[in-house]
Amino acid sequence: MKNKMLATMITLILVILLAGAIAIIVIYKMDHTSANNGPSIDKVVESSVDVPEITTNLKNNNFIKIALKIETDSKKAKKELEKRDFQVKDAVIDELSETSSEDLDSKEGKQKFLNNLKKTVDQYMQNGKIVKIYITSYVVQ
């Protein structure tokens, strides 16, 4: 009887320890998952540069007014990008001159434009990289 009680207590303690270990692992994994969801909006804003509205011709002789926000990976990259504003504007104008209004009508067309622009601007960067480019204003006529 005493051996049965001892075996039951040891089994019960092992079950409790196992449940505790599983709970700790689950909590640890949840913390890392939520931490890897990306930077906070404050971090995004403090490492982003606004490109003021640019008006230029498109490939098919329509014209566009567009404003952008470029997110970098650090404050240092942001400062560099602010100094390179003339190169960014030139890249935007060059890319748009090869794009028609029909290309920009679709979500895929806008994304292609943004991806091409990101590659071009990223080539200028020496202290960091471009994370994402957002269209903040857009009018085609």
Side-chain angles (χ1 to χ4, degrees), residues 49-67:
V49 175
D50 287 315
V51 178
E53 191 171 81
I54 297 173
T55 303
T56 190
N57 290 336
L58 293 171
K59 183 178 182 178
N60 59 348
N61 293 325
N62 290 37
F63 74 89
I64 186 170
K65 286 184 179 185
I66 190 167

Side-chain angles (χ1 to χ4, degrees), residues 71-74 77 118 122 125-132:
E71 179 186 349
T72 64
D73 64 348
S74 66
K118 180 181 179 237
D122 228 2
M125 300 297 291
Q126 295 175 353
N127 298 316
K129 64 178 186 165
I130 305 303
V131 175
K132 186 166 180 164

Side-chain angles (χ1 to χ4, degrees), residues 68-126:
L68 305 166
K69 183 175 276 288
I70 302 176
E71 179 186 349
T72 64
D73 64 348
S74 66
K75 287 182 183 179
K76 193 174 182 181
K78 175 188 177 178
K79 288 184 183 205
E80 179 185 357
L81 190 63
E82 287 171 339
K83 293 177 184 176
R84 295 181 179 278
D85 68 321
F86 65 96
Q87 291 174 313
V88 172
K89 290 175 185 175
D90 181 64
V92 170
I93 292 169
D94 280 349
E95 191 60 40
L96 287 170
S97 70
E98 297 296 320
T99 307
S100 70
S101 58
E102 291 80 23
D103 294 337
L104 295 172
D105 282 343
S106 68
K107 185 176 182 178
E108 294 81 19
K110 286 183 188 93
Q111 196 58 53
K112 181 179 176 189
F113 160 72
L114 293 173
N115 289 339
N116 290 342
L117 182 61
K118 180 181 179 237
K119 285 180 201 170
T120 302
V121 175
D122 228 2
Q123 290 175 355
Y124 299 140
M125 300 297 291
Q126 295 175 353

Side-chain angles (χ1 to χ4, degrees), residues 36-47:
N36 292 332
N37 285 343
S40 70
I41 189 64
D42 293 330
K43 293 266 187 204
V44 171
V45 169
E46 72 184 25
S47 64

